[in-house]
Amino acid sequence: MLVWPITVLGQQYRLYGFDNLVNKTWKADGVWSNGTKFKQEVSFNYDLNKTLVIVNSKGFINKEQTAYGNRSHGVRQFNAKQNNIQFWEFDVFGDVTQGKVSFKDKDIYYHYHYGDTMVTDCWEYINDNTYKFTVGSYKNDKWESIYLQTEFKVIYK
């Protein structure tokens, strides 16, 4: 009888790295290394008794980058069987990105394949209202290539 509450608490604790992001909306503007614009608003919320993080993103919803709206919905979940945090991101184009999440101090790293390339997104904690956001190729604790670097700032609490 006591095993189930301990499991739920363990799963909650595993998602601790998202605590500062949850119940807030974050906004970023930037430019990809290929010259295209990056613009996103991202909201994070816990669900199912804090065993999931639900992420809703607004961004460009067409390839021409002329329309802005609901771009993707994501889920982050601790997988007890594999002892890791997994994520899925479903976008308006019908694609799904999936991978793993790791934490280093207050920084959040998303690791996933984009085509044949292993990509990492990093939300580097600056303060409670700002994260440095980097997308690129990350190996052995260093960036080999950077495709995007900007900041997410909180706009709604």
Side-chain angles (χ1 to χ4, degrees), residues 63-116:
K63 300 289 183 187
E64 299 78 25
Q65 296 186 310
T66 56
Y68 189 82
N70 292 332
R71 181 180 170 86
S72 64
H73 297 292
V75 177
R76 285 78 170 120
Q77 178 189 39
F78 176 69
N79 182 323
K81 290 180 183 175
Q82 294 183 17
N83 195 33
N84 63 26
I85 299 170
Q86 299 176 346
F87 79 92
W88 299 264
E89 199 76 30
F90 304 90
D91 71 28
V92 70
F93 303 108
D95 296 320
V96 61
T97 301
Q98 62 186 48
K100 295 184 176 133
V101 178
S102 62
F103 304 130
K104 184 177 178 183
D105 300 318
K106 293 185 176 184
D107 302 340
I108 304 167
Y109 293 85
Y110 292 85
H111 311 280
Y112 57 95
H113 283 95
Y114 186 78
D116 293 331

Side-chain angles (χ1 to χ4, degrees), residues 6-16 50-51 78 80:
I6 291 170
T7 300
V8 170
L9 289 174
Q11 289 174 355
Q12 283 177 291
Y13 179 73
R14 296 296 183 129
L15 299 175
Y16 70 92
K50 290 190 171 184
T51 61
F78 176 69

Side-chain angles (χ1 to χ4, degrees), residues 34-59:
N34 66 5
T36 58
K37 294 183 284 183
F38 174 82
K39 181 178 178 181
Q40 272 192 350
E41 291 179 39
V42 185
S43 299
F44 295 81
N45 294 291
Y46 282 123
D47 205 349
L48 298 181
N49 204 24
K50 290 190 171 184
T51 61
L52 298 178
V53 176
I54 304 299
V55 182
N56 294 303
S57 301
K58 290 184 178 183

